[in-house]
Amino acid sequence: MDTPWESPIRRRLRASEPVFGCTITTASLDLAVRAATAGFHFLWLELEHSPITLETVHAIVLATRDLPAVPFARLPVTETWTAKRVLDAGVQGVIFPFVSTPALARQAADACRYPPLGRRGSGASLAISCWPDPDSYFDSADRNIVAVAVIEEVSALERADDIAATPGIDVVFVGTGDLSFSMGLRGQQQHPRVEEAASAVLAAARRHGKSAGRPAGTAAETRRYIDEGFLFFQGPSDLALFEAGAEAVLGPHGITPARRQRTLY
């Protein structure tokens, strides 16, 4: 009997191996395909902080089908209907923002699974057409969709243990950017208080057998976070990687940011 298909992200996390996502903020299918073959494990399709639409999400899902990196989507808000739409477009994981209560964690988990396990609605014809195991989509999706709860408010830290304990939540992710603002630190993501909070979330995830994640912008940061126990990483955006590549090529011969601003404006 054939072994049922397993999400490559789930497989790596189960083996305590890290996974890295490229944050996609543009509608370019060429760029998404390049990102999906550049070494990343998943694409973090950014619907909260970029103008990516549902139509673009589905186009990226189709364009990257059978490529190494699989599509995930970060929602603009944690609601059942928003998760339903990206799932029906064919993503393999959903990243829920501002999960600050156990009730929101339960809602997020339920949105990713069909009854009786959850409350996902039936209407996934688009997803079925591009799912790796289309003949048994409903059962396969219930086993393999990855639900990520983002903790990014001070109030959520007090409930981190209950959020991590929620059945159906697979990854507890520390949103260090918004968390720093919630702490009054306004973007100081490396501040000791933010790091202390991240460690507390990591400990909660471990207590309940869940993976923990956070953003990582450099190789040095990534090594340190892996040593600490984090496994699920949001990497830089497509545009940030382009800028870093341009800077590496041009070096001191390129237009500096100050001159660039004067040139454009």
Side-chain angles (χ1 to χ4, degrees):
M1 186 174 180
D2 292 339
T3 302
W5 176 79
E6 182 181 12
S7 158
I9 303 302
R10 280 190 172 278
R11 185 167 58 247
R12 287 186 63 87
L13 292 177
R14 183 164 48 80
S16 298
E17 297 175 350
V19 295
F20 301 90
C22 178
T23 307
I24 302 296
T25 64
T26 69
S28 170
L29 299 185
D30 287 334
L31 196 153
V33 168
R34 287 297 183 95
T37 56
F40 294 99
H41 302 98
F42 67 97
L43 303 181
W44 176 300
L45 307 182
E46 181 54 66
L47 277 74
E48 184 182 15
H49 295 297
S50 81
I52 285 181
T53 66
L54 283 166
E55 184 175 4
T56 298
V57 168
H58 190 241
I60 290 175
V61 169
L62 291 175
T64 60
R65 185 178 182 181
D66 297 327
L67 296 182
V70 299
F72 279 44
R74 197 242 291 263
L75 303 179
V77 64
T78 294
E79 293 284 356
T80 301
W81 71 269
T82 55
K84 182 189 306 183
R85 301 202 72 186
V86 296
L87 286 167
D88 287 351
V91 302
Q92 295 186 22
V94 184
I95 302 157
F96 294 88
F98 290 95
V99 179
S100 298
T101 66
L104 282 173
R106 178 72 267 169
Q107 179 175 297
D110 285 349
C112 292
R113 288 164 182 86
Y114 291 104
L117 301 175
R119 299 187 64 237
R120 181 179 174 185
S122 175
S125 59
L126 292 175
I128 292 171
S129 70
C130 53
W131 189 255
D133 190 11
D135 293 335
S136 57
Y137 174 78
F138 304 112
D139 292 338
S140 180
D142 278 347
R143 288 193 305 268
N144 287 289
I145 294 294
V146 177
V148 182
V150 183
I151 289 181
E152 47 193 337
E153 290 182 296
V154 169
S155 62
L157 296 175
E158 302 167 0
R159 303 176 175 93
D161 205 71
D162 292 332
I163 291 169
T166 303
I169 292 297
D170 302 298
V171 178
V172 185
F173 186 91
V174 188
T176 52
D178 280 314
L179 182 59
S180 72
F181 276 87
S182 181
M183 290 178 164
L185 299 170
R186 301 185 66 81
Q188 299 179 55
Q189 298 188 50
Q190 307 297 326
H191 192 281
R193 287 174 56 203
V194 177
E195 291 297 332
E196 181 181 357
S199 295
V201 174
L202 171 63
R206 283 177 154 174
R207 277 193 294 273
H208 297 284
K210 307 298 175 67
S211 299
R214 62 180 297 166
T218 68
E221 284 182 356
T222 301
R223 285 192 295 270
R224 176 162 64 89
Y225 299 152
I226 290 174
D227 288 344
E228 291 172 358
F230 290 94
L231 292 174
F232 186 95
F233 296 103
Q234 177 193 15
S237 73
D238 41 16
L239 298 181
L241 289 170
F242 175 85
E243 289 181 347
E247 186 174 328
V249 170
L250 296 170
H253 306 293
I255 299 174
T256 64
R259 279 190 62 199
R260 187 185 309 140
Q261 186 174 19
R262 288 197 297 272
T263 301
L264 293 177
Y265 301 101

